[in-house]
């Protein structure tokens, strides 16, 4: 089910999206709590993504650790 991110104080709508090409989403999360709600009217949408060929994980690329 879509994660609700808006409005941040009482999330009711799932307005935020992530679009990728050559990658796929493996996990999603929306952090909750008063600190997050004060930062913006939208809650953050955290995702884990992998390359479609599963050979190299994106976090390895971003850290400069390619196999």
């Amino acid at each position: 089910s879509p994660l609700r991110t808006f409005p941040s104080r009482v999330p009711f709508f799932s307005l935020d999206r992530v679009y990728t090409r050559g990658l796929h989403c493996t996990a999603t999360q929306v952090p909750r709590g008063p600190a997050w709600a004060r930062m913006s009217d939208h809650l953050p949408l955290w995702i884990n993504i992998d390359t479609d060929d599963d050979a190299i994980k994106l976090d390895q690329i971003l850290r400069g650790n390619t196999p």
Side-chain angles (χ1 to χ4, degrees), residues 5-9 34-44:
T5 57
F6 182 83
S8 62
R9 294 199 186 274
W36 293 108
R38 284 192 304 270
M39 292 181 200
S40 175
D41 60 341
H42 290 253
L43 290 172

Side-chain angles (χ1 to χ4, degrees), residues 4-55:
R4 296 175 179 169
T5 57
F6 182 83
S8 62
R9 294 199 186 274
V10 183
F12 186 71
F13 299 105
S14 56
L15 301 177
D16 299 289
R17 305 280 188 267
V18 175
Y19 296 95
T20 65
R21 182 181 296 170
L23 303 167
H24 65 272
C25 181
T26 60
T28 58
Q29 179 182 0
V30 174
R32 307 248 184 227
W36 293 108
R38 284 192 304 270
M39 292 181 200
S40 175
D41 60 341
H42 290 253
L43 290 172
L45 180 59
W46 291 349
I47 64 167
N48 290 344
I49 51 179
D50 285 334
T51 58
D52 280 342
D53 64 1
D54 291 328

Side-chain angles (χ1 to χ4, degrees), residues 23 51 56-66:
L23 303 167
T51 58
I56 301 173
K57 293 187 182 289
L58 183 62
D59 62 343
Q60 292 175 327
I61 295 170
L62 293 175
R63 295 176 192 189
N65 301 329
T66 55

